[in-house]
Amino acid sequence: MRDENCIFCKIVAGEIPSRTLFEDEDFKVMLDVGPAAKGHALIIPKAHYSDIYELPSELAGEALKLAKRMATHMTTVLNCDGFNILQNNGVAAGQTVFHYHMHLIPRYADGNEMILWEAKQFSAEEMDDLAEKLAVK
Ligand code: 5GP
Ligand code: ZN
């Protein structure tokens, strides 16, 4: 499965170079060209799925297993102090490349960029309603 206009599909096909850290039948792991920190890498499935909604559950599970393996390996090699794993879906969530990918971001004690948000306030009633609405039945 390939999307002709997708930059990550072109990377998977070898038409655009990448600094590859790992590759198997289903996935490629490569350095991000615009790293948030030293060693920032991306896990991408070789087949084109635009986001988590399209990604088959089985591949989602395998991607997380690979993330654990890569995070462990990268932490040892880089001697980083922490690690973010994150994944954006949709423009509103900050996704810019519409081929599913997981960010692997090593973090350093002396680094000052953090993924932070301001805690919002919702009333107890709104929170109760949300919990009721979102509960998986
Ligand atoms: P998103 O914002 O969609 O979650 O993340 C897209 C990521 O892909 C960005 O961090 C960006 O730096 C990275 N990226 C965009 N184009 C390329 C490319 O051609 N090669 C690599 N290795 N990374 C890319
Ligand atoms: Zn693609």
Side-chain angles (χ1 to χ4, degrees):
M1 258 171 38
R2 172 184 168 137
D3 178 326
E4 289 306 319
N5 299 315
C6 171
I7 193 159
F8 286 180
C9 284
K10 288 179 182 159
I11 288 173
V12 167
E15 294 160 16
I16 293 177
S18 67
R19 293 185 174 86
T20 302
L21 310 185
F22 174 86
E23 195 162 6
D24 68 7
E25 202 184 316
D26 295 322
F27 294 99
K28 187 181 191 65
V29 183
M30 61 188 180
L31 286 184
D32 192 307
V33 289
K38 189 174 78 181
H40 181 170
L42 301 171
I43 295 178
I44 62 174
K46 288 191 167 174
H48 182 90
Y49 302 103
S50 58
D51 52 31
I52 198 162
Y53 308 110
E54 281 193 1
L55 186 72
S57 294
E58 198 187 312
L59 274 186
E62 292 305 318
L64 192 54
K65 282 192 209 165
L66 181 53
K68 176 177 168 60
R69 182 176 169 191
M70 289 305 303
T72 305
H73 170 72
M74 290 166 73
T75 299
T76 303
V77 175
L78 293 165
N79 197 27
C80 58
D81 303 296
F83 214 96
N84 291 124
I85 294 174
L86 67 96
Q87 199 271 308
N88 302 324
N89 299 282
V91 173
Q95 186 176 10
T96 58
V97 177
F98 295 88
H99 176 129
Y100 176 92
H101 53 279
M102 202 181 261
H103 293 263
L104 305 174
I105 310 179
R107 293 292 177 179
Y108 303 90
D110 59 0
N112 55 7
E113 294 111 342
M114 287 288 154
I115 296 163
L116 294 175
W117 57 86
E118 201 182 308
K120 309 287 185 303
Q121 289 287 335
F122 295 95
S123 69
E125 195 183 35
E126 282 175 298
M127 294 294 272
D128 289 345
D129 284 351
L130 271 174
E132 166 68 23
K133 208 182 291 177
L134 294 175
V136 179
K137 288 165 184 150

